[in-house]
Amino acid sequence: MTSAKLFFGSNIRFLRERKKLTQEDFAEQLGLTRVKLAAIEAGRTENPSAVDLIKFSDFFGLSIDNLFRIDLRGVGELPLRELEAGSQLYMKGTNLRVLAISTDKANKENVEYVPVKAKAGYRSGYANPEFIASLPKFSVPGLPQTGTFRMFPTTGDSMLPVPEGADVICRYVEDWTALKPGTLCIVILDGEQDFVFKKVTILPEGNRMLLESLNRAYEPYEISAGDVIEIWKFHSYFSKDVPERVSEVQHISQTMDTILKQLKEIQEKIDPRPDNAAA
């Protein structure tokens, strides 16, 4: 059987130079020695370690398979960007992410609850069936028959009018690219970062997400898709708090927004020309 031609070393050098990084700078960012990186790029390292492969894959946003099998030097910039944007490692949330579940005696999936004190453990045990089985479980009436659901607590006031301390029920998202812009989700972040409950939008470059709060006092911000472990789409929430009455300031602001919108519509009907049109 003819051995497959592999392009890992040449691809790493090409991608490094594409980002205008020297061997010294790139090796430092990945925690490698320059000598080791030079050997990899020159093809003198036939079997790079799994840890190093993951480092390269994470850094460039490309699957390990693509790094080995495709000669990226001949792909072209636009197809290369499409490869980066479509990398399963970052954007699909399927294949490379294993979801552990628990079931009841009738083999029906439970709705597990992830309390605040279990957040840190969840980040490391989300794919561990024993950990998931240890979480509190609920049977919630009215949920769709298909899909996997889980309940998460919210903290802070960034998602008002959803009350602080509410428990939100969400459906597991298998393919992140299917999310519509501004979809309410619980996002499970890697490392020491917290869970966040935000409006999620996949940005055009494909490997970043925009997170927005319902409370306009909080500024939106971007995250790398590589920092995301799981995404759960909002379904409903439970709260012991009665929603607060709209304040006078909020009422005035909402009224002014409505009036301005109506004035704009009236103006467009009277003079439909663009503002910069000649008189």
Side-chain angles (χ1 to χ4, degrees), residues 1-268:
M1 181 176 179
T2 305
S3 59
K5 185 172 179 57
L6 303 178
F7 303 95
F8 185 74
S10 59
N11 281 339
I12 295 304
R13 178 176 179 176
F14 166 72
L15 293 169
R16 171 181 63 79
E17 293 177 344
R18 179 171 171 260
K19 289 184 175 291
K20 297 179 172 56
L21 291 170
T22 65
Q23 281 189 336
E24 288 82 1
D25 290 339
F26 186 39
E28 182 179 354
Q29 290 190 44
L30 264 67
L32 306 174
T33 65
R34 192 198 66 78
V35 173
K36 185 176 185 178
L37 175 61
I40 290 174
E41 290 188 352
R44 296 194 300 271
T45 304
E46 293 186 0
N47 298 299
S49 71
V51 172
D52 289 342
L53 293 179
I54 291 172
K55 286 181 180 180
F56 288 117
S57 178
D58 283 351
F59 186 89
F60 292 118
L62 291 165
S63 70
I64 294 173
D65 187 67
N66 285 339
L67 289 175
F68 272 98
R69 293 179 178 274
I70 300 176
D71 186 356
L72 298 174
R73 295 170 298 181
V75 166
E77 186 62 24
L78 182 57
L80 183 55
R81 289 182 182 179
E82 291 176 349
L83 278 175
E84 292 170 328
S87 172
Q88 289 181 338
L89 176 64
Y90 287 102
M91 296 315 304
K92 286 296 184 180
T94 54
N95 299 337
L96 297 178
R97 290 174 174 86
V98 179
L99 178 67
I101 61 172
S102 66
T103 58
D104 59 18
K105 293 180 179 179
N107 203 34
K108 182 180 178 181
E109 287 189 24
N110 294 308
V111 176
E112 295 92 4
Y113 178 61
V114 185
V116 172
K117 64 181 181 180
K119 281 186 175 183
Y122 188 90
R123 278 189 288 268
S124 58
Y126 67 93
N128 184 340
E130 292 183 359
F131 175 82
I132 297 301
S134 71
L135 295 173
K137 301 166 187 61
F138 294 89
S139 177
V140 181
L143 290 181
Q145 296 298 310
T146 58
T148 296
F149 292 84
R150 201 155 283 172
M151 187 186 301
F152 301 90
T154 62
T155 57
D157 62 353
S158 67
M159 293 302 283
L160 290 175
V162 177
E164 181 177 359
D167 292 316
V168 298
I169 295 178
C170 304
R171 183 202 297 260
Y172 180 67
V173 179
E174 294 184 352
D175 183 356
W176 301 350
T177 61
L179 287 173
K180 295 180 180 179
T183 300
L184 281 176
C185 298
I186 287 283
V187 182
I188 312 298
L189 296 168
D190 197 7
E192 297 303 316
Q193 304 176 84
D194 201 358
F195 297 7
V196 292
F197 180 37
K198 300 292 180 185
K199 292 164 60 181
V200 177
T201 299
I202 306 299
L203 296 176
E205 55 265 36
N207 62 353
R208 297 192 66 77
M209 301 179 186
L210 178 68
L211 303 184
E212 300 175 272
S213 301
L214 291 177
N215 186 343
R216 294 184 179 179
Y218 291 82
E219 292 292 327
Y221 59 95
E222 294 182 18
I223 61 170
S224 168
D227 291 331
V228 178
I229 296 174
E230 293 176 349
I231 297 180
W232 296 78
K233 182 180 178 181
F234 174 80
H235 177 271
S236 57
Y237 76 88
F238 293 99
S239 175
K240 64 180 182 298
D241 298 323
V242 176
E244 294 184 4
R245 179 170 164 265
V246 176
S247 68
E248 292 300 322
V249 174
Q250 290 175 309
H251 180 69
I252 292 172
S253 176
Q254 292 171 358
T255 302
M256 287 299 297
D257 286 343
T258 301
I259 292 173
L260 290 173
K261 183 178 180 181
Q262 291 174 344
L263 286 174
K264 185 177 180 180
E265 291 174 351
I266 293 172
Q267 184 179 11
E268 289 175 348

